[in-house]
Amino acid sequence: MWVLRACFLKWRGSFQSYPLSLLPAPIPPVTLEEKQTLTKLLAARGANIQELNTIRKALSQLKGGGLAQAAYPAQVVSLILSDVVGDPVEVIASGPTVASVHNVQDCLHILNRYGLRAALPRSVKTVLARADSDPHRPHTCGHVLNVIIGSNVLALAEAQRQAEALGYRAVVLSAAIQGDVKSVARFYGLLAQVAGAHLTPPGTGASLEEEERLQEVAAELQLPDLQLKEALEAVVGARGPVCLLAGGEPTVQLQGSGKGGRNQELALRVGAELGRWPPGPVDVLFLSGGTDGQDGPTEAAGAWVMPELASQAAAEGLDVASFLSRNDSHTFFRCFRSGAHLLRMGLTGTNVMDAHLLFLRPR
């Protein structure tokens, strides 16, 4: 029996996260509605959290060190829960107590990349035009002490301990998973195939070509902390079930009007990838979940899948590819097996990005 909830339950804590989305203060004449609309447009076109926060800081009186300036000359201690890959304090919650290192050219570059510069409201153009000549935030924040008290790295370390206590050989791959969800899904699909092969008798597993393809996909994702070699070596030495852990925040480029979140979308895509090759004498399960307990505008934190997903779904009249084309992963998982594959944790009161768990168990 697979044990899925233990790692997530241990992440519940007493700390609460209050991101500056709850304390908006756009620079006049920008309105809150205009700022929200621009942020949603950027997110829908695939902008990552660093890019989103660069724009947010440029349009805010509080972000990018603005809150620290308002508190000056008082000494400030900022206790930070990181929901950003790499834990850059200037990006987390758009850095209310960290001086911004970005300028208007950075903003224009992002807007050009996603084809939004020409459609900007006049108010946004006005604020960006005067940003360099009329700074509203401090260049330094010497009166501030920023302390990270929660992060994806810490969450994965605790999940690793819990998995080991349950009898798994557990290895953390990366806490910096980023990139398009399609590429991330291909990576996990190949990883499951290659790692699973290392748990089977010689001659029954993945080929050298598949291992090379895994390395290529990993290189394309450009994950700075990826411990792929170490993870595969650990799998080779394992004498029982294995749990490979990773975390981060992939991006989804919306193409349809369905309902879902990046964790459910990733899980569904990984399920499709797992179904492309015979599972062999290894049980495989992949889980993706948000540590805040909510994935997109749904009540689920994420979902879990196995290689049989596509064939079992087809037997129920559900076409995985069709749901993916509409970005409708939540509807799929709600219908498939009456929602049994949805990860429902309830809100955890914190957020340190997402967790991805790949379980492999020899039969």
Side-chain angles (χ1 to χ4, degrees), residues 26 34 109 111 149 168 172 224 244 284-285 314 339 342 349:
E34 289 172 331
H109 178 71
L111 294 168
I149 60 173
Y168 289 89
V172 175
L244 302 180
V284 179
L285 186 150
L342 284 170

Side-chain angles (χ1 to χ4, degrees), residues 163-199:
E164 290 171 345
L166 293 169
Y168 289 89
R169 178 69 179 272
V171 182
V172 175
L173 280 165
S174 170
I177 299 293
Q178 295 184 95
D180 185 79
V181 68
K182 297 177 184 177
S183 298
V184 175
R186 282 196 296 271
F187 169 74
Y188 283 127
L190 284 166
L191 176 63
Q193 186 175 8
V194 172
H198 287 306
L199 288 174

Side-chain angles (χ1 to χ4, degrees), residues 11-73:
W11 290 340
R12 293 178 181 271
S14 59
F15 290 110
Q16 298 292 317
S17 174
Y18 298 101
L20 282 209
S21 60
L22 302 180
L23 189 64
I27 300 173
V30 177
T31 67
L32 178 58
E33 182 179 7
E34 289 172 331
K35 188 176 178 183
Q36 290 173 325
T37 298
L38 179 57
T39 300
K40 290 177 181 178
L41 287 172
L42 283 165
R45 298 193 182 193
N48 61 35
I49 188 64
Q50 289 86 349
E51 293 169 325
L52 291 174
N53 284 356
T54 297
I55 300 298
R56 287 168 174 158
K57 287 189 287 186
L59 303 178
S60 173
Q61 299 180 74
L62 295 178
K63 299 174 175 66
L67 184 61
Q69 183 183 36
Y72 184 83

